Amino acid sequence: MPHPRLAFHNWPAAVYAIGDVHGCLEQLVALEAQIAEDGLGLEGEKWLITLGDHVDRGPDSSGVIDHVMGPAPQGFRRFSLVGNHEAMMLDYLGDPERHGYWLDEGGVETLASYGVGAGDGSAQDWIPRAHVEFIEALPAYLSLPGWLFVHAGIRPGVPLGLQSEEDLVWIRAPFLTSQLTGGLRVVHGHTPGRDIVVTPHRIDVDTQCFATGKLSAVRVMHDGTTKFFSVER
């Protein structure tokens, strides 16, 4: 089943987008507290978006899924997007023999967070069905006038409505070096670095939390102004 795509025509008071969490629940909770405090000074509804890759590699993927399935901070509306690691997890759950490579991409840590170890039988028996259904329903992107929030990026020169789901969750080249974004500024994760990357065409907030301990976010206002946030363990 393809993941839904969200398009809105009216901006909220602000949008806060958080980069790849990868099982780092402690940093996610701390960063959301920082965001909630910042949002106190803004009237109106705020949106909080996690840009995919909630699972794998870090210590508590199951806890992260529980958290983002729960309520947003007061005054916020929560959105969570699908990343390539959620896609790999779903592929594995559908056909473990064919997609066993997921285990080497962080799947072992994810299964351990659900209490699944070697020889424990089918992963489907251990992972709550509510978690699987939540991941299956994650949107592929969220767009607002002039801006796109997505896990990996977009294929340059291809209209947004024709973008493939594979590109939305997997692309790096040629997106990272292109200026052909259809007039959109793209906020994304997927491509990790030690610091947030900002260009006129894109903002990358994946600071590789599972390895660096640093989780980052950007606040975007309807007029295009931005503010950045990070927490480190």
Side-chain angles (χ1 to χ4, degrees):
M1 289 285 293
H3 290 263
R5 304 180 182 200
L6 305 180
F8 296 93
H9 300 293
N10 297 314
W11 273 81
V15 177
Y16 296 80
I18 297 175
D20 303 31
V21 179
H22 278 303
C24 297
L25 178 60
E26 179 182 346
Q27 288 93 329
L28 176 60
V29 171
L31 184 56
E32 285 191 4
Q34 192 179 119
I35 287 169
E37 183 177 0
D38 181 77
L40 291 174
L42 301 174
E43 293 187 6
E45 184 180 72
K46 281 80 64 175
W47 290 1
L48 181 63
I49 304 174
T50 41
L51 295 170
D53 282 8
H54 305 82
V55 300
D56 295 353
R57 295 178 172 161
D60 196 1
S61 292
S62 64
V64 169
I65 297 298
D66 264 335
H67 181 80
V68 297
M69 287 177 67
Q74 185 173 359
F76 283 77
R77 180 180 179 186
R78 185 188 295 282
F79 297 89
S80 298
L81 306 182
V82 66
N84 61 300
H85 281 263
E86 283 85 23
M88 287 190 289
M89 180 179 177
L90 292 174
D91 286 344
Y92 176 85
L93 294 177
D95 190 344
E97 290 188 8
R98 184 180 176 188
H99 299 284
Y101 60 86
W102 173 63
L103 299 175
D104 295 326
E105 297 293 333
V108 168
E109 291 86 348
T110 293
L111 293 179
S113 75
Y114 287 98
V116 185
D120 284 339
S122 172
Q124 293 93 323
D125 296 335
W126 290 77
I127 299 175
R129 184 60 199 167
H131 281 206
V132 177
E133 291 175 350
F134 173 77
I135 294 170
E136 288 174 337
L138 291 174
Y141 65 64
L142 186 154
S143 68
L144 282 161
W147 290 78
L148 178 69
F149 300 85
V150 66
H151 177 63
I154 54 177
R155 177 71 52 180
V158 175
L160 184 58
L162 299 179
Q163 293 286 331
S164 73
E165 190 163 293
E166 182 176 1
D167 280 338
L168 296 171
V169 301
W170 280 102
I171 199 168
R172 288 195 172 107
F175 162 68
L176 296 176
T177 56
S178 177
Q179 299 180 6
L180 299 176
T181 57
L184 298 169
R185 196 170 188 193
V186 181
V187 178
H188 66 97
H190 184 58
T191 300
R194 187 65 182 83
D195 298 303
I196 296 168
V197 174
V198 181
T199 80
H201 304 284
R202 66 182 184 90
I203 298 173
D204 181 357
V205 286
D206 179 7
T207 47
Q208 204 174 12
C209 187
F210 72 92
T212 65
K214 181 180 180 180
L215 186 64
S216 299
V218 59
R219 185 188 78 188
V220 182
M221 308 291 285
H222 67 90
D223 62 359
T225 57
T226 57
K227 180 179 178 179
F228 300 97
F229 306 83
S230 293
V231 297
E232 297 189 57
R233 66 165 174 252

